[in-house]
Structure formats: structure tokens, C-alpha cells
Amino acid sequence: PGKYPWDIAKNHLNNYFNSISEGKRNTIQNRHKFLSNYEPDFLAIGEESFRGYVVYGYTEKDVYYFESNEPNNATYIFKGKWEDASRLTKRDIISGNLCYKRLIHTENWENKISKIMNE
């Protein structure tokens, strides 16, 4: 818990970023930096079916972003009990429309994130 502007978040995620191939690292870090610029209240590193994801929690808004370390993947956005969501499989989430939003990593990704952040 605490505030996680990019300088702090990056330090906590160094091991995570070092596990990503160098060719993908800049793209992945830029997405994480973008989410971190909104100063989440906490970060959580995913395990099991969410291995390779970081949860950015914005508890005041009750919204939680599950960000992938893979390019051409997606960001899963949940409202409410993020811990319950983290126990689901991605297949369950996609097939059951269980997340608030699923944003594919495209050129418009940042604009879509900004829109949701400013709701």
C-alpha cells in the first residue's frame, strides 16, 4: 500500500521488468508507466493464471487494472473486489464477461485508459 508514482513503482517492479526480453521491455514499461502516472494506491504482482500481470489499485475509485507484461495482449479492468477477480482464470473472465472492461493493447489504449480514469 501507499502511493506509486512511476519512480517508486519502477523500483518495485525492476525484477519483473528484468524478466521481460529486451526487445519488449520498453513497450511494456511505457504501459506500466502510464498507469503509474495516475498514482495507484497499491501494486500487486500476479501469480498462477495471472502470472505476468501487475495489478494497479485505485481504491478511491474502486477500480483495478490488471496489466500484462506481454505485447499485443490486454488490460483487464475490474471494479469491486479485485482479490476475487484475481482468482479467476482469464478464460472464465473473457467467456463470462466478468471484467468491467478488457482493453486490447492497440494504438488507442492510452486514450481508453484516460477516459476510464476520468469517469
Side-chain angles (χ1 to χ4, degrees):
K3 291 290 182 188
Y4 284 93
W6 180 239
D7 291 340
I8 295 171
K10 185 177 180 183
N11 286 336
H12 285 288
L13 297 173
N14 271 338
N15 287 340
Y16 174 81
F17 292 135
N18 289 336
S19 69
I20 301 168
S21 71
E22 198 169 323
K24 299 177 187 178
R25 193 173 302 144
N26 192 44
T27 300
I28 305 300
Q29 281 184 325
N30 285 338
R31 285 200 310 262
H32 286 273
K33 181 178 181 181
F34 188 80
L35 288 169
S36 186
N37 285 337
Y38 286 95
E39 294 190 355
D41 302 298
F42 72 87
L43 299 178
I45 306 290
E47 295 179 349
E48 296 178 22
S49 67
F50 278 99
R51 179 172 295 294
Y53 280 80
V54 174
V55 178
Y56 288 81
Y58 305 89
T59 56
E60 192 171 297
K61 292 184 174 204
D62 198 27
V63 66
Y64 308 91
Y65 293 72
F66 289 46
E67 180 54 44
S68 173
N69 70 355
E70 289 292 326
N72 306 315
N73 204 321
T75 304
Y76 295 87
I77 304 169
F78 295 90
K79 290 193 173 192
K81 298 180 180 180
W82 72 272
E83 296 96 336
D84 292 345
S86 72
R87 292 182 185 100
L88 300 169
T89 66
K90 286 193 288 185
R91 175 178 281 176
D92 291 340
I93 292 165
I94 293 168
S95 65
N97 294 317
L98 300 177
C99 60
Y100 172 66
K101 299 274 185 192
R102 178 176 179 252
L103 301 180
I104 305 295
H105 295 142
T106 64
E107 290 178 12
N108 295 330
W109 180 86
E110 286 184 4
N111 292 332
K112 291 176 182 180
I113 294 289
S114 293
K115 184 177 178 183
I116 294 167
M117 288 289 194
N118 293 315
E119 287 180 345

